């Protein structure tokens, strides 16, 4: 069982930056690949970024490539999402997730077993 808690969301102007954190409980954090997803009002939840257990592999949805960076600190049981050059269309609830059954850094939501509650990110124009 893994419990996930996100933090770091807030209101920022377009072009600004935020860093999201996701703290995981338990002693086996390094056994899980981790992902960030987001859900905007009226839209389905979508993949944002994923990172492998060691942090050696990462993957991003096209719309955030070059602007967002996912990283992890296994000693601190934490995964991060650095978001730069934010746009109004990045406004959403950002949720982190953990999984262990799939490939090293999957995009599919079905590959993730544990989910956090989410943190709101609002980007004003």
């Amino acid at each position: 069982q893994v419990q996930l808690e996100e933090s770091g969301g807030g209101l920022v102007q377009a072009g600004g930056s935020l860093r999201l954190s996701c703290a995981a409980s338990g002693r086996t954090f390094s056994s899980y690949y981790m992902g960030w997803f987001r859900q905007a009002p009226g839209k389905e939840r979508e993949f944002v970024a994923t990172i492998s257990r060691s942090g050696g592999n990462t993957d991003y949805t096209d719309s955030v490539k070059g602007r967002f960076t996912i990283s992890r600190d296994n000693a601190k049981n934490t995964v991060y999402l650095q978001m730069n050059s934010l746009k109004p269309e990045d406004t959403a609830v950002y949720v982190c997730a953990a999984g262990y059954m799939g490939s090293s850094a999957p995009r599919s939501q079905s590959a993730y077993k544990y989910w956090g509650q989410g943190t709101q990110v609002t980007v004003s124009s």
Side-chain angles (χ1 to χ4, degrees):
Q1 185 81 16
V2 175
Q3 292 185 327
L4 304 171
E5 184 173 1
E6 303 92 339
S7 61
L11 173 64
V12 64
Q13 288 188 333
S17 298
L18 284 173
R19 188 175 83 153
L20 305 183
S21 299
C22 174
S25 65
R27 296 176 290 178
T28 58
F29 179 71
S30 60
S31 299
Y32 297 91
Y33 48 77
M34 301 295 296
W36 284 99
F37 296 81
R38 66 186 179 186
Q39 187 167 19
K43 295 187 176 181
E44 294 186 352
R45 187 167 59 191
E46 65 173 355
F47 165 77
V48 176
T50 182
I51 189 166
S52 61
R53 296 166 179 83
S54 67
N57 292 328
T58 59
D59 190 20
Y60 300 88
T61 193
D62 286 348
S63 63
V64 309
K65 284 181 180 178
R67 300 188 299 122
F68 290 12
T69 302
I70 188 171
S71 62
R72 66 189 295 163
D73 186 336
N74 286 345
K76 295 183 178 180
N77 285 12
T78 302
V79 63
Y80 305 98
L81 186 67
Q82 178 67 44
M83 306 186 296
N84 298 329
S85 302
L86 282 160
K87 304 176 181 179
E89 51 263 44
D90 294 319
T91 294
V93 174
Y94 284 71
V95 183
C96 72
Y100 58 90
M101 296 293 288
S103 62
S104 65
R107 293 187 170 205
S108 173
Q109 296 184 43
S110 63
Y112 294 83
K113 184 174 178 64
Y114 304 106
W115 295 81
Q117 294 298 309
T119 185
Q120 176 71 46
V121 171
T122 303
V123 185
S124 64
S125 57

